[in-house]
Amino acid sequence: MSEENEELEDLGAGLEEPTTETITRVTGMYKEWFLDYASYVILERAVPAIEDGFKPVQRRIMQSMKDLDDGRYNKVANIVGHTMQYHPHGDASIGDAMVQIGQKDLLIDMQGNWGNILTGDPAAASRYIEARISKFGLEVLFNPKITEWQSSYDGRRKEPINLPVKFPLLLAQGAEGIAVGLSTKILPHNFNELIDASIKHLQGKRFKIFPDFPTGGAADIANYNDGLRGGKVRVRAKMHSPDKNSIVITEIPFSTTTSTLIDSILKANEKGKIKIKKIEDNTAANVEILIHLPPGLSPDKTMDALYAFTNCEVSISPLGCVIEDNKPLFVGVTEMLRRSADHTVELLKAELEILLYEVEEQWHFASLERIFIENRIYRDIEEEETWEGVISAIDKGLKPHIGHLKRTITEEDIAKLTEIRIKRISKFDLDKAQQKIQSLEDRIAELKHHLENLIQFAIDYFTKLQTDYGKGRERKTELKNFEDIIASKVIIRNTKLYVNREEGFVGTALKRDEYVCDCSDIDDIICFTKEGTMMVTKVDAKTFIGKNIVHVAVFKKNDKRTIYNVIYRDGKTGPNYIKRFAVTSMTRDREYPMGTDEKGSYLHYFSANPNGEAEVVSINLRQQGSIKKIKWDVDFSDILIKGRTSKGNLVTKYNIKKVDLKEEGVSTLKPRKIWFDDSVQRLNVDERGELLGEFRGEDRLLIITQRGIAKTIIPEVTARFDDDIVVLEKWIPKKPITAIYFNGERQLFYIKRFLIENEEREESIITDHEDSYLEVISTDYKPRVELVRVKPRGKEQPDNEEVNLEAFISVKGIAAQGNMLSKSKIKQINLLEPLPYEPEATIPAQEVEVNQEEVVSPKNADDDQVITSKIDSDVPDPDIDHTGQSSLF
């Protein structure tokens, strides 16, 4: 048999033999592999280390940049390639990580197009952009002498386990990562505030730190929870309205870009939640998104809607998770900063100890060198023929002179002495040598002092960092409390509501039937039927309520000002009752009876009154039996407002023929009390902040700003206010306003008294000159001021002068320049207590106390009008006329 055939037989025999390998189940393999993979992703990719604040790829990038650093810029592609010696992943992930570090503008000096965090534009290709370590990075990141090293993934190089970062870098840059079953989200904080907090911690003081985002905006950190799980930060764009037809967004929330923000605005517009005319993105170095509004749309209400329905407000949930001792650690930002500050102290101590050792070694050798040359010990080795003899001769020559040295002499020290060149010995200067030793001794004393006062040294270190690098790193994000925006109050009414009263249907799809009002798809509607039932239901295409609907309107939850006036028959043969009530809350899609739950109830009269109006009606009875009085008047103002479940007051037990409206009603509700909450710069009716007064429907607010702008507005809870308001109070039209301002053109103070002439227009009360400014503003009837004049050179200080401003100048037009206050230069103007004045008494409203949910404008749409309904008992199917304020049927 040939050798080839034998080999084939052996191969065949091997195949026929039964296998003896152990079977490993896939489930067991998967369990081990999954844990290995999860641990790898958590420790090596997604979560930063608490010691230096870096993820592994970031640490390797910075070490590569240090390897290549020569003070000049390097191509990013070159840095990425060098980093691949440390990092076992592709160039794309390294390049993206490096761009993210660069965009934080702290550790890397960038050159070229590195992208834009505002617009979301990506960076150019790595071959086109360059980078180098910033001066700050060089100062706080590196020190090979105190760095622990480990082998790289292939064993060819050494890489740092952690960089010796002497700064709370993790909190300054922030971090975000998603691992397997674990994630982290540490928000960025302000550079200077972190240094201040580190110093406070070292001083034993308490501190608090809050996020500061590179995109600016405003943040509500009330629920920050120290950056731990369960916390929440609400971030808003900054915007203002330069005129009545536009809104300008100047700063955007963190985690958004102008592109994503505009997309969210367009989507909200398409869904009908907001209404805009067009939008322009003019962003360059700074954000500028211009939103054009349709005519007649309120900019204040639109801004609230932008916060409610778009990315103009985002909620960020922080989660402080870091790696410590190769394990995940959940920790708050306060503890992170404490650990960072303490770690910085340890690193500074290690650096000082190494530096002290090096300086002491320099002093030791400088002292030996001086002894060696000054005492000509080098001559003792001329006769020696062996190395051991040379060492012994020098050692013997040094012994009489080494009593002041701080350590013993080693053979290495003597060997270094033999390396001194003859040229150096010949030019040795004793005085210079002594000066050098003295300077080294001074340096040693300084280092020992720093080690003895380590905390103060660390504080000085942080202070120096702030001095050198803190300029231009002021806080960008404004911290403030946000008011809660109720979506139903700011959403644009984007659809129309219709009703088929006879058949009992309401909805947005009944376009052939009667139009009721505009509404939104998140509104609730309230309905009343002729049978005395009421129901609240969601806006839908078509909903059955019940036949013979008498009233349909958008339902406002907790609305205690809309009062329903009703006269109804309780049951088929029951007595007739009158009642006034408000509907503040109901279970959706449930029928509620007007009185008892008896069938056959009937509404004789119905009216919905948005401000609690109480009319006078005439009751007409059927002529039957011995009834003597078949007609009389009823005033609803005599009826107390009760809950919707109240049965009401008895009108008559006889059959009512009809009820006629005799006299329109006036509001019986107490004027609304309105407060101003300075913390959120908004009005409210919840008793938060400063009470501005009691307001009826026609009352307005007076606003005057430091820029000299005066205007009046209707007090709505959606109104927004500038930060420079100096007057905010209830406007009394006949009450004069007194202003003292500096006339920039004439460089003198002027005084004027005026009334607001056009309540719908804002006007300037000072001149247009750039140097003009408002000095004093008063809304008192008889204000007084004290003038402090400038002391003339070489003369005594003039006495202060009190001026009665009411007697000084009469009331003129708002556009008038006014009168000169004084020809002499004035140093200071102090507003004094006004003279007594008793204004005319006002007629108080009827004291009917009703809690207010919101401030309603008297110029609102049709659904704020009084809706009155009369049902004629002789007509089985009433003919409904819904034409305005009243409808009779």
Side-chain angles (χ1 to χ4, degrees):
M1 185 181 291
S2 65
E3 293 182 2
E4 185 176 0
N5 290 334
E6 289 179 359
E7 290 177 0
L8 288 173
E9 282 187 7
D10 293 340
L11 181 60
L15 291 173
E16 291 175 1
E17 290 180 1
T19 180
T20 58
E21 294 181 1
T22 303
I23 297 175
T24 302
R25 296 187 179 277
V26 174
T27 53
M29 296 166 59
Y30 174 77
K31 181 179 179 181
E32 294 177 2
W33 291 350
F34 179 79
L35 289 176
D36 291 343
Y37 172 69
S39 299
Y40 170 75
V41 174
I42 291 171
L43 299 177
E44 296 294 328
R45 297 186 68 175
V47 184
I50 193 171
E51 289 84 2
D52 58 5
F54 283 126
K55 299 178 184 179
V57 64
Q58 297 170 331
R59 187 180 302 113
R60 289 159 181 161
I61 288 170
M62 298 311 300
Q63 182 59 43
S64 293
M65 293 187 70
K66 178 62 175 174
D67 294 342
L68 298 172
D69 183 55
D70 59 0
R72 295 179 294 177
Y73 287 99
N74 289 286
K75 288 280 188 183
V76 168
N78 187 26
I79 299 172
V80 170
H82 192 277
T83 305
M84 293 179 73
Q85 298 179 74
Y86 300 111
H87 194 62
H89 293 282
D91 58 341
S93 62
I94 298 173
D96 291 343
M98 186 171 179
V99 168
Q100 289 181 8
I101 298 173
Q103 287 179 341
K104 292 170 182 176
D105 195 25
L106 193 60
L107 301 179
I108 297 178
D109 283 342
M110 300 169 288
Q111 189 164 273
N113 177 16
W114 281 68
N116 192 327
I117 61 172
L118 300 177
T119 62
D121 294 335
S126 59
R127 60 185 177 274
Y128 297 125
I129 55 179
E130 298 178 332
R132 67 182 178 190
I133 302 176
S134 66
K135 292 181 179 179
F136 173 77
L138 289 171
E139 183 163 347
V140 303
L141 293 188
F142 304 103
N143 189 335
K145 297 174 183 177
I146 59 172
T147 302
E148 293 185 37
W149 303 86
Q150 65 183 0
S151 297
S152 62
Y153 70 97
D154 60 3
R156 288 189 174 94
R157 298 182 69 89
K158 294 291 184 181
E159 63 172 331
I161 297 175
N162 290 301
L163 289 174
V165 177
K166 302 182 289 295
F167 179 77
L169 190 64
L170 178 58
L171 294 172
Q173 293 193 130
E176 184 174 2
I178 300 175
V180 181
L182 188 70
S183 66
T184 184
K185 194 178 188 70
I186 301 168
L187 303 182
H189 294 70
N190 181 261
F191 182 93
N192 291 310
E193 291 176 8
L194 289 175
I195 290 180
D196 292 338
S198 298
I199 292 173
K200 285 183 178 179
H201 170 64
L202 295 177
Q203 292 173 338
K205 299 178 181 178
R206 293 183 178 181
F207 63 88
K208 288 186 178 181
I209 52 175
F210 300 110
D212 184 27
F213 304 115
T215 55
D220 184 346
I221 44 81
N223 298 318
Y224 184 42
N225 194 29
D226 202 39
L228 290 166
R229 184 195 301 271
K232 183 176 72 172
V233 177
R234 296 165 62 191
V235 189
R236 285 183 178 177
K238 279 192 175 181
M239 61 181 77
H240 66 277
S241 178
D243 53 57
K244 294 182 179 180
N245 298 317
S246 63
I247 295 172
V248 178
I249 299 175
T250 55
E251 294 180 12
I252 61 176
F254 182 65
S255 76
T256 67
T257 65
T258 54
S259 300
T260 59
L261 189 64
I262 290 173
D263 288 344
S264 71
I265 294 173
L266 293 176
K267 286 180 182 178
N269 185 58
E270 290 171 2
K271 292 179 180 179
K273 294 182 177 180
I274 62 172
K275 188 178 291 185
I276 65 172
K277 190 175 180 181
K278 66 175 181 177
I279 187 168
E280 299 175 6
D281 187 4
N282 301 324
T283 301
N286 299 311
V287 172
E288 184 181 327
I289 300 174
L290 181 60
I291 302 173
H292 296 273
L293 304 179
L297 197 62
S298 166
D300 289 339
K301 191 172 182 179
T302 302
M303 283 191 275
D304 280 346
L306 287 170
Y307 290 136
F309 302 114
T310 74
N311 286 346
C312 287
E313 178 179 328
V314 296
S315 180
I316 302 174
S317 298
L319 175 57
C321 180
V322 294
I323 299 298
E324 183 183 49
D325 297 331
N326 289 326
K327 295 178 183 178
L329 173 68
F330 294 93
V331 63
V333 295
T334 302
E335 182 61 23
M336 288 184 201
L337 188 126
R338 289 195 187 103
R339 294 191 181 207
S340 172
D342 294 341
H343 186 57
T344 298
V345 172
E346 294 174 3
L347 293 174
L348 291 173
K349 180 181 179 181
E351 288 183 345
L352 287 172
E353 289 174 344
I354 291 172
L355 190 55
L356 176 61
Y357 172 78
E358 292 174 347
V359 175
E360 286 181 338
E361 285 298 300
Q362 293 176 25
W363 178 88
H364 180 77
F365 183 74
S367 299
L368 282 180
E369 183 184 55
R370 177 189 171 189
I371 295 169
F372 181 72
I373 298 175
E374 183 181 7
N375 295 283
R376 292 182 171 85
I377 297 173
Y378 52 85
R379 290 183 176 180
D380 297 344
I381 65 176
E382 293 175 355
E383 304 296 331
E384 300 296 335
E385 296 181 357
T386 64
W387 176 251
E388 290 77 8
V390 170
I391 296 297
S392 178
I394 296 175
D395 186 33
K396 184 178 179 181
L398 291 173
K399 279 186 178 179
H401 311 286
I402 60 173
H404 67 288
L405 297 183
K406 298 179 181 179
R407 68 171 176 83
T408 59
I409 301 173
T410 64
E411 187 173 332
E412 291 181 2
D413 296 333
I414 297 174
K416 283 184 70 174
L417 291 175
T418 62
E419 295 172 2
I420 300 175
R421 296 185 178 184
I422 299 297
K423 184 178 181 181
R424 179 171 175 79
I425 293 174
S426 64
K427 292 187 176 182
F428 183 75
D429 188 329
L430 185 60
D431 292 337
K432 287 184 178 180
Q434 185 59 39
Q435 289 176 5
K436 180 181 178 181
I437 292 173
Q438 184 61 46
S439 66
L440 291 172
E441 289 176 350
D442 293 342
R443 180 63 173 152
I444 289 171
E446 181 185 3
L447 293 172
K448 287 183 176 180
H449 175 76
H450 291 332
L451 283 169
E452 292 170 359
N453 301 274
L454 193 57
I455 299 300
Q456 186 58 47
F457 178 75
I459 292 173
D460 294 341
Y461 169 80
F462 279 120
T463 304
K464 184 176 183 299
L465 284 182
Q466 190 169 33
T467 303
D468 293 344
Y469 307 106
K471 187 176 181 181
R473 299 188 182 276
E474 292 77 18
R475 168 167 283 277
K476 294 183 179 180
T477 303
E478 179 186 0
L479 301 180
K480 59 190 300 186
N481 294 327
F482 294 163
E483 75 287 355
D484 292 327
I485 297 174
I486 301 174
S488 60
K489 292 184 179 180
V490 298
I491 191 171
I492 297 297
R493 294 186 172 180
N494 55 353
T495 187
K496 298 181 184 299
L497 183 65
Y498 302 89
V499 60
N500 184 327
R501 296 180 184 270
E502 184 177 352
E503 298 296 328
F505 289 95
V506 295
T508 58
L510 308 175
K511 296 185 179 180
R512 294 185 178 180
D513 294 303
E514 178 188 344
Y515 166 75
V516 178
C517 63
D518 289 345
C519 65
S520 71
D521 51 10
I522 67 171
D523 280 336
D524 289 321
I525 54 175
I526 186 169
C527 306
F528 292 83
T529 67
K530 189 174 67 173
E531 285 71 26
T533 61
M534 53 183 168
M535 179 190 292
V536 170
T537 186
K538 194 81 174 173
V539 169
D540 205 345
K542 185 177 181 180
T543 304
F544 179 74
I545 302 297
K547 291 187 177 183
N548 301 318
I549 297 173
V550 299
H551 174 70
V552 182
V554 174
F555 177 64
K556 299 175 182 177
K557 191 176 181 180
N558 296 322
D559 180 12
K560 297 182 180 180
R561 293 193 68 85
T562 299
I563 305 300
Y564 301 99
N565 298 340
V566 175
I567 298 175
Y568 72 98
R569 184 184 69 215
D570 189 21
K572 193 171 184 179
T573 59
N576 300 283
Y577 293 92
I578 182 172
K579 63 187 290 188
R580 301 183 73 203
F581 62 96
V583 181
T584 57
S585 61
M586 295 173 69
T587 302
R588 190 178 291 157
D589 297 325
R590 176 183 171 185
E591 278 192 357
Y592 290 85
M594 191 63 63
T596 60
D597 203 7
E598 293 186 23
K599 293 184 178 180
S601 297
Y602 189 85
L603 283 185
H604 293 292
Y605 181 86
F606 176 91
S607 68
N609 308 278
N611 286 297
E613 291 83 358
E615 63 271 37
V616 178
V617 296
S618 295
I619 307 293
N620 297 273
L621 302 183
R622 295 181 185 276
Q623 183 66 52
Q624 59 182 16
S626 59
I627 301 175
K628 296 182 179 179
K629 187 176 182 181
I630 62 173
K631 183 177 181 180
W632 70 93
D633 294 340
V634 174
D635 191 344
F636 272 99
S637 63
D638 296 332
I639 308 300
L640 294 178
I641 299 173
K642 299 181 179 180
R644 61 173 173 78
T645 58
S646 170
K647 197 171 186 178
N649 297 356
L650 180 66
V651 176
T652 177
K653 62 182 179 179
Y654 299 108
N655 291 332
I656 295 178
K657 181 180 181 181
K658 63 179 180 178
V659 179
D660 293 325
L661 175 66
K662 182 177 181 181
E663 184 180 329
E664 294 284 352
V666 295
S667 177
T668 59
L669 299 182
K670 194 174 181 180
R672 295 178 180 86
K673 290 183 179 181
I674 299 178
W675 285 261
F676 177 71
D677 188 348
D678 186 61
S679 63
V680 296
Q681 296 282 298
R682 301 297 286 268
L683 300 177
N684 70 87
V685 293
D686 304 322
E687 302 184 14
R688 290 183 282 108
E690 178 186 357
L691 178 64
L692 298 181
E694 298 182 348
F695 289 76
R696 293 184 174 87
E698 69 279 2
D699 290 336
R700 299 174 74 92
L701 270 177
L702 171 65
I703 300 173
I704 302 177
T705 68
Q706 187 62 55
R707 294 174 286 117
I709 302 298
K711 61 181 179 181
T712 66
I713 65 167
I714 297 169
E716 297 177 329
V717 292
T718 57
R720 293 185 171 272
F721 300 90
D722 297 329
D723 294 333
D724 63 342
I725 292 177
V726 292
V727 173
L728 179 64
E729 61 182 47
K730 183 178 178 180
W731 178 50
I732 302 175
K734 295 183 179 180
K735 187 178 182 181
I737 301 168
T738 307
I740 298 176
Y741 70 95
F742 185 76
N743 189 315
E745 182 178 357
R746 302 199 177 186
Q747 296 293 302
L748 291 170
F749 284 100
Y750 275 68
I751 179 175
K752 59 190 293 185
R753 301 190 78 216
F754 58 91
L755 299 173
I756 300 294
E757 299 167 356
N758 188 340
E759 63 183 33
E760 300 292 340
R761 186 175 68 184
E762 65 176 41
E763 298 183 80
S764 176
I765 60 176
I766 63 176
T767 60
D768 296 334
H769 195 276
E770 60 180 6
D771 293 335
S772 297
Y773 61 86
L774 185 64
E775 179 68 21
V776 172
I777 190 77
S778 173
T779 55
D780 295 314
Y781 285 96
K782 295 185 176 183
R784 295 185 305 139
V785 295
E786 179 186 49
L787 305 183
V788 182
R789 290 185 167 83
V790 176
K791 180 179 179 296
R793 182 177 297 178
K795 297 182 179 180
E796 294 183 359
Q797 173 69 45
D799 294 334
N800 296 346
E801 179 184 356
E802 291 188 8
V803 179
N804 181 355
L805 301 183
E806 183 207 24
F808 191 90
I809 185 173
S810 60
V811 177
K812 300 181 179 180
I814 192 171
Q817 179 177 259
N819 294 354
M820 187 186 304
L821 184 60
S822 175
K823 291 184 178 179
S824 59
K825 291 185 177 181
I826 297 175
K827 181 180 180 180
Q828 186 175 335
I829 302 176
N830 300 319
L831 188 63
L832 305 177
E833 286 291 324
L835 296 173
Y837 177 82
E838 292 190 11
E840 298 178 2
T842 57
I843 301 174
Q846 183 178 344
E847 297 292 319
V848 180
E849 182 62 44
V850 177
N851 293 327
Q852 301 90 11
E853 156 65 14
E854 62 175 342
V855 185
V856 180
S857 164
K859 297 187 178 181
N860 280 351
D862 294 341
D863 59 347
D864 283 337
Q865 297 176 349
V866 178
I867 299 175
T868 307
S869 304
K870 178 205 72 172
I871 297 93
D872 191 339
S873 298
D874 292 336
V875 182
D877 293 320
D879 183 16
I880 301 164
D881 180 20
H882 186 74
T883 58
Q885 288 192 347
S886 64
S887 52
L888 304 176
F889 45 110

